[in-house]
């Protein structure tokens, strides 16, 4: 790593949002360490995508930790017996894909790595606009977590704690795709599908939101095979 560029840690899930936020940090001049979490998710394919993104984007380092939140269930993302939602996003209902405490745990681990490495930022790809308002993807949650982080870490108490940085928080999904295109994020390498197949299902809420944004941004060839086939029929 260079001794001159500032350092950031990015929570790198393997999805489009985290990859775009990572690219934005790099464009801002940061060296980035990626941190990916194996939490017992059904869509483990995203971990392969995260590793491939770390290589393709030239991250300074890539860490992967096992934190099995699936051991106690509570989410369609960790319980194969629960069906994945396919009815679109309802802004008034938190969907079954919410994983209890996931971002609270992930951010804590990211802060630990950031403090250990002397990083100035913890980069988060959370987005509160196109999703169902997960409680741990909202601005008020992040603001309060920053207060906790500043109190809970040695670096924070010294006024040098990592800052939570969520540049996508208020962007629409199509705007995120446009950012990714501008920054040459390898979108085809990212994985957003909630299913555990070898190809995106095109039917889960995450696929539908992503595919609609890709079509809107003029890159339908990057959408899921099911979405492309459906567009040809329409």
């Amino acid at each position: 790593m260079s001794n001159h560029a500032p350092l950031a840690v990015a929570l790198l899930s393997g999805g489009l949002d985290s990859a775009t936020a990572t690219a934005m940090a790099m464009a801002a001049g940061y060296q980035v360490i990626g941190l990916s979490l194996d939490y017992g998710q059904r869509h483990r394919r995203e971990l392969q995508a995260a590793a491939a993104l770390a290589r393709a984007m030239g991250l300074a380092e890539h860490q992967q930790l096992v934190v099995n939140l699936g051991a106690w269930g509570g989410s369609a993302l960790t319980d194969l017996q629960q069906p994945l939602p396919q009815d679109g996003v309802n802004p008034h209902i938190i969907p079954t894909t919410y994983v209890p405490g996931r971002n609270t745990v992930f951010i804590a681990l990211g802060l630990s790595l950031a403090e250990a490495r002397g990083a100035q930022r913890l980069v988060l790809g959370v987005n509160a606009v196109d999703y169902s308002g997960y409680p741990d993807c909202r601005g008020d949650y992040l603001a309060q977590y920053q207060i906790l982080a500043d109190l809970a870490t040695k670096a924070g108490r010294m006024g040098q704690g990592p800052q939570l940085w969520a540049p996508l928080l208020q962007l629409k999904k199509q705007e995120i795709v446009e950012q990714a295109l501008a920054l040459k994020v390898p979108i085809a390498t990212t994985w957003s599908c909630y299913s555990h197949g070898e190809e995106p299902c095109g039917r889960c809420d995450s696929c539908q939101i992503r595919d609609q944004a890709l079509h809107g941004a003029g890159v339908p060839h990057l959408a899921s095979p099911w979405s492309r086939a459906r567009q040809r029929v329409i």
Side-chain angles (χ1 to χ4, degrees):
M1 296 184 194
S2 166
N3 293 325
H4 303 292
L7 187 63
V9 169
L11 295 185
L12 185 67
S13 69
L16 174 62
D17 293 353
S18 67
T20 304
T22 297
M24 292 174 73
M26 297 176 73
Y30 285 83
Q31 294 185 88
V32 178
I33 297 172
L35 174 61
S36 303
L37 286 302
D38 179 350
Y39 62 93
Q41 62 269 52
R42 70 162 77 201
H43 52 310
R44 298 178 58 80
R45 173 69 176 72
E46 71 173 4
L47 294 171
Q48 299 175 33
L53 285 167
R55 292 190 296 270
M57 298 175 72
L59 299 195
E61 184 181 341
H62 183 222
Q63 295 281 343
Q64 179 175 304
L65 294 179
V66 177
V67 185
N68 190 16
L69 301 181
W72 45 79
S75 170
L77 291 191
T78 59
D79 183 354
L80 292 177
Q81 303 307 311
Q82 288 195 50
L84 291 170
Q86 299 181 0
D87 298 327
V89 170
N90 184 330
H92 305 295
I93 298 175
I94 296 174
T96 58
T97 50
Y98 164 69
V99 180
R102 180 178 63 178
N103 282 354
T104 300
V105 173
F106 286 9
I107 292 173
L109 292 169
L111 286 169
S112 176
L113 177 57
E115 186 175 26
R117 293 287 193 271
Q120 297 177 12
R121 279 185 177 178
L122 178 60
V123 182
L124 310 172
V126 297
N127 176 260
V129 176
D130 282 323
Y131 294 97
S132 300
Y134 291 153
D136 53 4
C137 288
R138 305 184 193 188
D140 56 356
Y141 163 80
L142 294 177
Q144 293 300 312
Y145 209 131
Q146 184 68 67
I147 294 172
L148 172 64
D150 291 340
L151 293 174
T153 60
K154 177 182 176 181
R157 290 285 185 171
M158 297 174 64
Q160 301 172 348
Q163 298 300 300
L164 305 184
W165 191 58
L168 312 182
L169 189 64
Q170 298 299 329
L171 296 185
K172 294 184 180 298
K173 195 69 170 183
Q174 184 174 321
E175 293 174 320
I176 295 172
V177 171
E178 290 165 352
Q179 281 281 346
L181 291 169
L183 295 171
K184 302 188 184 309
V185 173
I187 295 176
T189 302
T190 65
W191 182 269
S192 301
C193 181
Y194 288 152
S195 185
H196 56 289
E198 283 302 310
E199 290 190 335
C201 72
R203 296 173 173 83
C204 70
D205 284 353
S206 183
C207 275
Q208 291 185 50
I209 293 169
R210 173 189 169 112
D211 288 349
Q212 183 178 7
L214 291 169
H215 282 280
V219 284
H221 61 285
L222 296 175
S224 68
W226 184 87
S227 174
R228 293 198 300 270
R230 184 171 179 273
Q231 287 292 322
R232 286 195 293 271
V233 171
I234 293 174

